[in-house]
Amino acid sequence: MFRTATAPVSTDVLTSNGHRLDPSPRRLGRLEPVRPAERHDRAALRHRLARDGYLFLPGFLDRAEILEFRRYYFAALEGTGVTEPGSDPRLGRAGRGELDRAAMRRVLFRDIVPGAEYEALCRHPRIAGFYRWLLDTEEVHLHRRKLIRHIGPGETGVGTATQAHYDLVYLREGTDKVLSSWIPLGDCPVERGPLIYLEGSHHRVLAEEAAGTLRRPAASITADLPALAEEYDARWLVTGFRAGDMMVHGAHLIHASLDNVDPAGMVRLSTDIRYQSATEVVDPRWQNHWDADDGL
């Protein structure tokens, strides 16, 4: 049913933070990729973004470049227990021993996040050029706070998978026209825990934002994705991804992620970055490198 990077997975076992998604057609659907004929049609992409809240762009980036960054990332974390000792870092095979969490955090926040390799990936000319073109502006701004996440198979506990939220609640001090890119850094079939989206949720969020009736603070909405789908009477949209794919979504679309239950034992690695026109108001809190203790 869903496009996957490896073999199809049964859609009746999809979970997020332990909550099993309703597999019925009323509550589960698939993300629709941008058709090749629309790829260079700015008006069509803007219409799709306004209608659907997202753009799914398969093969947008060079697969080999993405896999090379995956190799760099897991090689940098070698010895921390994130991956299996002696394994090919491009695979990202999860370690089975004890995780040295302090060493992992030290490498991640001291070396990788502020490093030249990650900066080059996030400022890739293909990505920056796309946003200049889509936003029809001469200069775009990349928020310096860029998040990169790895999640091993079988990791549990509420908050392991991304809980349901929309990005604007964390970006109140800037424009609501900021756009996010979610980029899987390696193949990410549905069993590896990709991002998923609540269909059409941005329309309700926009209306509630305009009316000032939103009850929730600047935090995730819930970890109970099935209950949220019932509340919104909407479907969670799911697909598998391949290295080189890119998602673009607006600041009002509710999204979350699945649990990583990959039977092959691979770590899910992904990044989410945010671009906007440089002429729009920039949230000053997002102009420092990401740190787990930055309070955002």
Side-chain angles (χ1 to χ4, degrees):
M1 179 183 295
F2 299 116
R3 175 184 178 273
T4 61
T6 56
V9 64
S10 173
T11 57
D12 62 358
V13 295
L14 301 183
T15 64
S16 178
N17 286 304
H19 293 277
R20 178 176 166 178
L21 272 64
D22 181 347
S24 73
R26 293 177 57 252
R27 293 291 173 255
L28 195 65
R30 65 185 179 90
L31 287 165
E32 292 293 338
V34 173
R35 297 187 296 270
E38 293 182 0
R39 282 289 184 102
H40 305 291
D41 186 334
R42 182 163 54 201
L45 291 188
R46 287 179 165 183
H47 172 75
R48 181 184 279 264
L49 191 58
R51 182 192 67 197
D52 300 338
Y54 72 87
L55 302 173
F56 174 27
L57 302 168
F60 182 83
L61 296 165
D62 182 80
R63 175 177 175 81
E65 290 184 33
I66 296 299
L67 292 177
E68 173 56 24
F69 182 85
R70 183 178 178 88
R71 183 207 63 76
Y72 154 76
Y73 182 91
F74 288 124
L77 288 170
E78 188 173 2
T80 65
V82 170
T83 55
E84 185 178 306
S87 63
D88 182 351
R90 287 209 331 168
L91 295 177
R93 189 179 303 281
R96 300 178 183 179
E98 187 172 346
L99 174 66
D100 187 339
R101 194 171 299 277
M104 183 270 291
R105 287 168 60 94
R106 189 164 55 247
V107 173
L108 178 61
F109 294 116
R110 183 193 64 191
D111 300 334
I112 295 176
V113 168
E117 293 86 352
Y118 185 41
E119 187 74 10
L121 172 71
C122 298
R123 293 188 180 276
H124 195 290
R126 185 96 167 88
I127 299 173
F130 172 79
Y131 277 114
R132 280 194 297 270
W133 172 76
L134 182 67
L135 296 171
D136 194 16
T137 184
E138 293 183 3
E139 186 178 355
V140 290
H141 176 79
L142 169 66
H143 288 247
R144 195 178 191 192
R145 187 177 189 265
K146 310 178 294 292
L147 284 69
I148 185 166
R149 307 176 192 271
H150 65 261
I151 300 175
E155 290 189 37
T156 58
V158 172
T160 299
T162 301
Q163 299 184 51
H165 69 284
Y166 61 97
D167 290 349
L168 186 62
V169 295
Y170 300 104
L171 291 156
R172 289 291 187 200
E173 296 183 20
T175 178
D176 67 354
K177 297 180 178 64
V178 63
L179 293 173
S180 299
S181 277
W182 183 80
I183 305 170
L185 300 173
D187 293 339
C188 192
V190 291
E191 60 264 35
R192 205 165 290 166
L195 220 60
I196 63 175
Y197 294 83
L198 190 59
E199 186 175 29
S201 55
H202 60 304
H203 296 298
R204 174 167 163 175
V205 168
L206 278 163
E208 291 179 333
E209 285 277 349
T213 58
L214 283 167
R215 305 181 304 278
R216 302 181 179 99
S220 296
I221 298 169
T222 183
D224 189 345
L225 304 194
L228 192 65
E230 290 295 328
E231 178 186 339
Y232 274 68
D233 189 20
R235 303 185 300 170
W236 284 104
L237 302 179
V238 182
T239 196
F241 295 88
R242 288 177 57 82
D245 294 353
M246 185 171 82
M247 287 294 301
V248 174
H249 64 260
H252 302 90
L253 184 64
I254 295 174
H255 52 285
S257 74
L258 296 173
D259 294 327
N260 183 352
V261 294
D262 184 8
M266 302 303 177
V267 179
R268 187 204 98 176
L269 180 64
S270 65
T271 186
D272 45 291
I273 60 177
R274 287 157 185 87
Y275 272 89
Q276 65 175 76
S277 170
T279 62
E280 298 282 352
V281 178
V282 173
D283 190 327
R285 302 167 305 152
W286 282 66
Q287 307 320 306
N288 298 305
H289 287 304
W290 171 50
D291 186 277
D293 299 320
D294 64 13
L296 296 173

